[in-house]
C-alpha cells in the first residue's frame, strides 16, 4: 500500500449534505465512476490529490531501493528483469501523476511538495536494500502488500485512478511473482544464499506490515474516504489478508516468519500475529527511517541537477515554434 | 627453457617453426580455429561494448532529470543488456569452451574485455551521458546495418533484431542532442563541452587491426574504417542542427578493443561482478 495516513475530511451525515453532495454520494453508492470534468466536493478532490500524489511519489522514490542493485545484479537475465521492473515503477508514477493532473494539480507542483517534505511517500522505501535477496523480498512482500490494497482500488470511484490501477495491478502481480522466483532460487541455494533470504524476510516483514497503515482503532479520516470509495477496505482487513496469504508462501520457501506469536486461529480462519512496532512507524514517517535523508536527497538532487535540462527543452520548443511561425508568414 | 639472451633470436623462431611442423600439438603450430578466435574477439568487441554502456546507462535509474527520461534510459539499458545476452551468447558458442554469456560477463577481468573506451567513460552530467549515447548510437547504427548483411546468419539475425532497437536509440539521442545544443546558452555550453571531452574516444571505433581484417575477409564483420562515412554524415547533420562545433582534432585514444582500458573499467567490473565473485558457483 503506497498511501498511508492520507488526510481526509470528517464524514458528513446525509442530513448535513447539500443537495449537490447528496446527489454525488448517491452516484458513488450506485457504483458510478466520477470523471474529471464532473462536479465533485472539494474535500473529495483534495483527498484524492493527496492519495494519488502519495502513491505516485512512492512509485518514483521506490525506484531507488531497487535501482540500488541493478548494477550489481548477479546475471544478465536478472539485470534485465530488474531494469524492466524499475522502468515499470517509473511508468506507474507517470500514470498516477497524470491521474492527479485531471484533478487540477500539475506534476511539477506535486514534485515540489514532495521535495519540500510536504507530501509523503510510503514508509517502506525508507528501508535499505542490503543484499540481493532484498530484490526478491521487495517483490514478494512489498509488491505483494501493494497489490492487496490496489486490487480493490481498481473499483475506486474516481475513473482515472481506477483505470490507472487496472494497468498497474497487472504489472505489480508480475513483479510479485518475479520477486518470489528470486526468493525460491535463494531459499534452495547455497547456505549463504539461504541466510540472505532469511535475513531479508527478518528485516522486511514488519516494515511490510506497516505499509497498510496504523490499526483501525488509531486510523483517522478513514470513514469519509470509505464512503467516497477512495479507500475500499480498512487497514486491519488488508493486513490480515496479507498475513494469511504470505505465511504459507514463507513456509513453502522453508523460511521462518520472524514472529514468535504467529499462530493459525481456526475460529477466525486466519493467523494471529504480532503488531509491528508502531513507534518505529511514526519515527520513519517523521523522517527518521534509515534512508529518509538519502532517498529524498537523491530525488531532490536529480530534480535540481536536471533543471538546466528541463529548461533547455522548453526554450528549444519555443524557438522551434517561433521558427515555424516565421516560416508560415 | 632457453636462457634469456637466446630468446627472440632468429634461431629460436626457426627452432619453434621446425618443432611445430614436426608436432601439430606444439603451441607454435598453426591452430585450425585461428579464424574462430578472430570471430570470438569481434563478438566480444560488440558484446562488451553493449554490456558496459548498458551498465553506465543503468546507473541513472531513478536519478534522471525527468520521469520520461528515467523510463527512456531504462529502456535503452534494457535493450543493450538484451543485445549483450545475444552477442556474448554467440561468442561463447563460437569459443566452444563451454562458457556461457554470464561466464563471459561476470568472470573475466578487465584485460579480457574488448569494449570501446568511450562506453566506460563516467556518466558526467545528463548532457554528457546523452552525447556519449549519441556518438555511440550513430556508430552502432552503422555497424548493425553492415552486420545485418553478415555472411554468418547468426550474426545477421542478431543485428537485424538489435538494429530496430538502435534505430530508436539514435532517433532519441539525436533529437535530444539537437534540442539541448540549440536550447539555452547553458545547455549549449554543456553539450559542446561534452562533445569536446568525448571526441578523442570516438576515433577508436574506426581503427581496425589484424583480427578485424580476418573477420572482414570472411564477410562476417565489416572493416571498421568502412563505418566512418555514414557516422560522419550523421554527425554533420545532427550536430549541425544542434549548432555544435565538431572538433577538428584527429587524436584518438585507443586500446579498449585490444584489452587496454582506462582506470574506470576495473571499478565497473568490481561492482558488476561482485556477487559472482563473492559467492563462486552459486546459482541466482
Amino acid at each position: 500500500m503506497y498511501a498511508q495516513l492520507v488526510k481526509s475530511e470528517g464524514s458528513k451525515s446525509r442530513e448535513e449534505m447539500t443537495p449537490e453532495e447528496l446527489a454525488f454520494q448517491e452516484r458513488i453508492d450506485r457504483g458510478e465512476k466520477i470523471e474529471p470534468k464532473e462536479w465533485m466536493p472539494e474535500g473529495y478532490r483534495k483527498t484524492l490529490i493527496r492519495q494519488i500524489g502519495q502513491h505516485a511519489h512512492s512509485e518514483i522514490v521506490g525506484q531507488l531501493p531497487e535501482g540500488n542493485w541493478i548494477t550489481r545484479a548477479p546475471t544478465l537475465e536478472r539485470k534485465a528483469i530488474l531494469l524492466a521492473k524499475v522502468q515499470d515503477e517509473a511508468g506507474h508514477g507517470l500514470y498516477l501523476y497524470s491521474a492527479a493532473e485531471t484533478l487540477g494539480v500539475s506534476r511539477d507542483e506535486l514534485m515540489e511538495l514532495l521535495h519540500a517534505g510536504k507530501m509523503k511517500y510510503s514508509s517502506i522505501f525508507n528501508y535499505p536494500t542490503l543484499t540481493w535477496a532484498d530484490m526478491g523480498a521487495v517483490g514478494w512482500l512489498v509488491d505483494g502488500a501493494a497489490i492487496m490494497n490496489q486490487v480493490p482500488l481498481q473499483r475506486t470511484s474516481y475513473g482515472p485512478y481506477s483505470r490507472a490501477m487496472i494497468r498497474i495491478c497487472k504489472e505489480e502481480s508480475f513483479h510479485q511473482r518475479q520477486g518470489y522466483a528470486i526468493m525460491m532460487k535463494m531459499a534452495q541455494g547455497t547456505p549463504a544464499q539461504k541466510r540472505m533470504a532469511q535475513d531479508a524476510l527478518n528485516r522486511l516483514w514488519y516494515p511490510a506490515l506497516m505499509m497498510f497503515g496504523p490499526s483501525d482503532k488509531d486510523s483517522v479520516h478513514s470513514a469519509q474516504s470509505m464512503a467516497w470509495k477512495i479507500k475500499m477496505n480498512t487497514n486491519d482487513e488488508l493486513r490480515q489478508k496479507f498475513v494469511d496469504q504470505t505465511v504459507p508462501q514463507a513456509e513453502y520457501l522453508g523460511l521462518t516468519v520472524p514472529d514468535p506469536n504467529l499462530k493459525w486461529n481456526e475460529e477466525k480462519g486466519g493467523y494471529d500475529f504480532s503488531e509491528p512496532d508502531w513507534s518505529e512507524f511514526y519515527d520513519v514517517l517523521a523522517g527518521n527511517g534509515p534512508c529518509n535523508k538519502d532517498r529524498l536527497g537523491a530525488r531532490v538532487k536529480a530534480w535540481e541537477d536536471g533543471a538546466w535540462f528541463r529548461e533547455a527543452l522548453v526554450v528549444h520548443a519555443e524557438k522551434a515554434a517561433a521558427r515555424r511561425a516565421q516560416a508560415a508568414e | 627453457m632457453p636462457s634469456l639472451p637466446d630468446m627472440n633470436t632468429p634461431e629460436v623462431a626457426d627452432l619453434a617453426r621446425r618443432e611445430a611442423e614436426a608436432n601439430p600439438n606444439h603451441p607454435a603450430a598453426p591452430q585450425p580455429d585461428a579464424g574462430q578466435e578472430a570471430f570470438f574477439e569481434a563478438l566480444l568487441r560488440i558484446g562488451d561494448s553493449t554490456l558496459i554502456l548498458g551498465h553506465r546507462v543503468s546507473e541513472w535509474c531513478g536519478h534522471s532529470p525527468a520521469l520520461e527520461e528515467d523510463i527512456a534510459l531504462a529502456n535503452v539499458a534494457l535493450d543493450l543488456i538484451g543485445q549483450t545476452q545475444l552477442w556474448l551468447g554467440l561468442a561463447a558458442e563460437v569459443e566452444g569452451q563451454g562458457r556461457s554469456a554470464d561466464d563471459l560477463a561476470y568472470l573475466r577481468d578487465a584485460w579480457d574485455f574488448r569494449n570501446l573506451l568511450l562506453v566506460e567513460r563516467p556518466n558526467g552530467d545528463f548532457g554528457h551521458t546523452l552525447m556519449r549515447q549519441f556518438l555511440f548510437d550513430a556508430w552502432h547504427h552503422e555497424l548493425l546495418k553492415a552486420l545485418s548483411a553478415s555472411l554468418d546468419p547468426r550474426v545477421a539475425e542478431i543485428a537485424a533484431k538489435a538494429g530496430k532497437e538502435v534505430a530508436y536509440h539514435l532517433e532519441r539521442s539525436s533529437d535530444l542532442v539537437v534540442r539541448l545544443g540549440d536550447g539555452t546558452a547553458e545547455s549549449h555550453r554543456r553539450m559542446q563541452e561534452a562533445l569536446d571531452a568525448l571526441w578523442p574516444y570516438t576515433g577508436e571505433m574506426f581503427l581496425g587491426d589484424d583480427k578485424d581484417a580476418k573477420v572482414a575477409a570472411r564477410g562476417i564483420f565489416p572493416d571498421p574504417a568502412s563505418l566512418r562515412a555514414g557516422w560522419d554524415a550523421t554527425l554533420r547533420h545532427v550536430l549541425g542542427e544542434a549548432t555544435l562545433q565538431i572538433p577538428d582534432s584527429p587524436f584518438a585514444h585507443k586500446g579498449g578493443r585490444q584489452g587496454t582500458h582506462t582506470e574506470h573499467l576495473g571499478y565497473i567490473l568490481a561492482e558488476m561482478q561482485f556477487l559472482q565473485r563473492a559467492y563462486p558457483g552459486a546459482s541466482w
Side-chain angles (χ1 to χ4, degrees):
Chain A
M1 180 173 188
Y2 289 159
Q4 298 157 319
L5 282 184
V6 174
K7 266 198 217 153
S8 172
E9 318 297 310
S11 55
K12 284 184 183 176
S13 67
R14 297 180 90 82
E15 293 72 41
E16 292 168 315
M17 288 182 191
T18 64
E20 267 174 322
E21 285 169 347
L22 195 60
F24 179 81
Q25 188 60 52
E26 279 167 357
R27 288 188 62 196
I28 289 183
D29 294 344
R30 283 195 299 271
E32 284 180 34
K33 291 276 179 271
I34 308 301
E35 294 300 333
K37 297 269 165 67
E38 296 170 350
W39 185 87
M40 61 186 78
E42 196 50 21
Y44 177 85
R45 195 181 71 84
K46 282 189 174 155
T47 308
L48 265 176
I49 288 174
R50 280 194 286 259
Q51 180 166 329
I52 299 173
Q54 199 180 110
H55 189 164
H57 296 330
S58 298
E59 297 284 357
I60 59 160
V61 176
Q63 293 181 91
L64 299 171
E66 293 187 278
N68 182 39
W69 279 91
I70 289 174
T71 56
R72 290 178 290 169
T75 68
L76 295 171
E77 192 188 359
R78 290 287 177 210
K79 192 190 287 283
I81 291 171
L82 188 57
L83 264 168
K85 184 181 173 196
V86 176
Q87 185 190 28
D88 283 349
E89 313 291 0
H92 297 173
L94 203 57
Y95 308 152
L96 288 162
Y97 286 121
S98 302
E101 281 181 333
T102 65
L103 293 160
V105 60
S106 75
R107 197 203 309 179
D108 285 5
E109 286 172 84
L110 290 172
M111 291 267 185
E112 276 159 24
L113 289 168
L114 169 70
H115 296 158
K118 290 178 184 160
M119 277 185 92
K120 302 244 179 276
Y121 52 89
S122 177
S123 58
I124 191 73
F125 300 118
N126 289 315
Y127 289 87
T129 54
L130 300 179
T131 74
W132 174 252
D134 289 14
M135 296 302 98
V138 166
W140 172 37
L141 301 173
V142 175
D143 293 325
I147 291 167
M148 279 294 156
N149 177 52
Q150 291 169 10
V151 164
L153 278 176
Q154 294 178 101
R155 294 180 285 109
T156 189
S157 61
Y158 189 56
Y161 192 26
S162 156
R163 291 188 285 274
M165 279 303 145
I166 290 168
R167 282 186 74 169
I168 289 172
C169 279
K170 280 187 195 147
E171 291 176 352
E172 291 290 4
S173 59
F174 189 53
H175 296 170
Q176 195 198 11
R177 282 201 295 275
Q178 285 168 351
Y180 197 70
I182 292 178
M183 292 307 281
M184 294 234 290
K185 200 84 181 167
M186 305 288 282
Q188 294 161 4
T190 65
Q193 286 175 305
K194 277 183 211 160
R195 185 179 153 204
M196 275 186 223
Q198 182 63 54
D199 172 69
L201 176 58
N202 292 350
R203 280 182 291 106
L204 289 167
W205 173 255
Y206 287 105
L209 295 188
M210 291 177 200
M211 288 175 69
F212 299 95
S215 175
D216 294 346
K217 60 186 188 308
D218 305 316
S219 184
V220 281
H221 307 304
S222 272
Q224 180 63 76
S225 285
M226 290 186 75
W228 277 335
K229 294 188 187 167
I230 293 174
K231 192 178 166 93
M232 309 296 286
N233 303 82
T234 73
N235 297 348
D236 286 336
E237 278 167 16
L238 291 170
R239 192 168 10 250
Q240 181 70 51
K241 223 173 146 195
F242 174 75
V243 171
D244 292 345
Q245 175 189 286
T246 308
V247 170
Q249 294 170 345
E251 283 168 357
Y252 183 77
L253 292 171
L255 300 177
T256 307
V257 172
D259 179 358
N261 300 318
L262 187 77
K263 203 171 151 238
W264 178 254
N265 180 332
E266 194 61 54
E267 203 176 317
K268 77 171 180 184
Y271 285 90
D272 290 332
F273 57 94
S274 302
E275 291 273 308
D277 175 358
W278 290 112
S279 67
E280 178 181 314
F281 173 72
Y282 288 108
D283 274 342
V284 173
L285 285 196
N288 295 317
C291 297
N292 295 57
K293 296 271 183 302
D294 290 345
R295 299 285 188 248
L296 195 57
R299 290 306 311 168
V300 170
K301 184 175 188 308
W303 187 250
E304 287 175 354
D305 287 356
W308 71 270
F309 169 85
R310 295 188 302 274
E311 189 198 346
L313 296 191
V314 172
V315 168
H316 178 82
E318 286 166 2
K319 280 187 189 177
R323 279 196 288 260
R324 274 196 303 275
Q326 206 169 20
E329 273 172 22
Chain B
M1 182 181 167
S3 62
L4 280 178
D6 290 342
M7 291 178 86
N8 304 323
T9 63
E11 290 77 15
V12 169
D14 194 44
L15 199 67
R17 188 182 49 77
R18 273 186 283 135
E19 186 72 24
E21 275 168 7
N23 175 10
N25 291 327
H26 188 277
Q31 297 300 308
D33 66 344
Q36 289 301 86
E37 192 204 324
F39 187 13
F40 175 65
E41 285 276 321
L43 291 164
L44 293 184
R45 286 169 176 185
I46 177 64
D48 288 345
S49 289
T50 53
L51 174 59
I52 301 303
L53 186 58
H55 179 102
R56 279 296 191 216
V57 173
S58 75
E59 289 173 4
W60 276 101
C61 237
H63 302 276
S64 84
L67 202 41
E68 286 81 355
E69 294 305 312
D70 273 332
I71 294 171
L73 286 182
N75 197 50
V76 170
L78 196 52
D79 287 345
L80 291 170
I81 297 304
Q83 292 168 18
T84 302
Q85 288 176 287
L86 298 174
W87 290 126
L88 294 186
L90 180 56
E93 186 186 319
V94 166
E95 186 194 35
Q97 301 289 323
R99 290 203 279 185
S100 66
D102 279 338
D103 291 337
L104 291 173
Y106 289 94
L107 300 175
R108 281 178 300 152
D109 200 349
W111 55 20
D112 287 329
F113 272 72
R114 296 290 182 262
N115 58 279
L116 296 167
L117 298 179
L118 177 72
V119 298
E120 64 197 55
R121 299 301 303 158
N123 285 339
D125 69 13
F126 199 67
H128 200 91
T129 291
L130 284 173
M131 182 58 79
R132 183 186 60 200
Q133 190 70 41
F134 166 68
L135 295 170
F136 179 82
D137 291 343
W139 169 80
H140 199 192
H141 187 60
E142 293 299 322
L143 175 64
L144 293 173
K145 262 197 288 182
L147 288 180
S148 62
S150 170
L151 294 183
D152 186 296
R154 295 166 298 180
V155 171
E157 197 180 316
I158 297 172
K161 180 189 181 295
K164 288 183 201 134
E165 295 165 352
V166 170
Y168 163 73
H169 299 177
L170 178 59
E171 189 184 318
R172 184 187 118 75
S173 61
S174 300
D175 175 57
L176 283 171
V177 163
V178 168
R179 287 154 75 185
L180 295 174
D182 184 25
T184 61
E186 182 183 2
S187 69
H188 178 85
R189 173 185 61 76
R190 285 175 184 264
M191 295 312 279
Q192 186 67 53
E193 281 174 9
L195 177 58
D196 294 346
L198 291 167
W199 187 255
Y201 296 94
T202 57
E204 188 188 20
M205 302 190 285
F206 311 105
L207 292 173
D209 61 13
D210 57 333
K211 285 175 178 147
D212 292 311
K214 277 185 192 150
V215 280
R218 290 168 63 196
I220 303 178
F221 268 68
D223 170 8
S226 69
L227 306 175
R228 178 106 213 187
W231 185 80
D232 276 341
T234 304
L235 259 70
R236 273 196 304 277
H237 172 69
V238 173
L239 296 176
E241 207 183 324
T243 71
L244 296 170
Q245 196 71 41
I246 297 179
D248 56 11
S249 162
F251 176 76
H253 290 291
K254 45 188 177 287
R257 300 173 80 247
Q258 288 77 29
T260 307
H261 291 275
T262 67
E263 290 178 347
H264 303 290
L265 185 63
Y267 289 93
I268 291 176
L269 297 185
E271 186 173 341
M272 187 174 85
Q273 298 178 340
F274 155 67
L275 282 168
Q276 290 281 358
R277 300 292 194 181
Y279 302 96
S283 162
W284 303 91

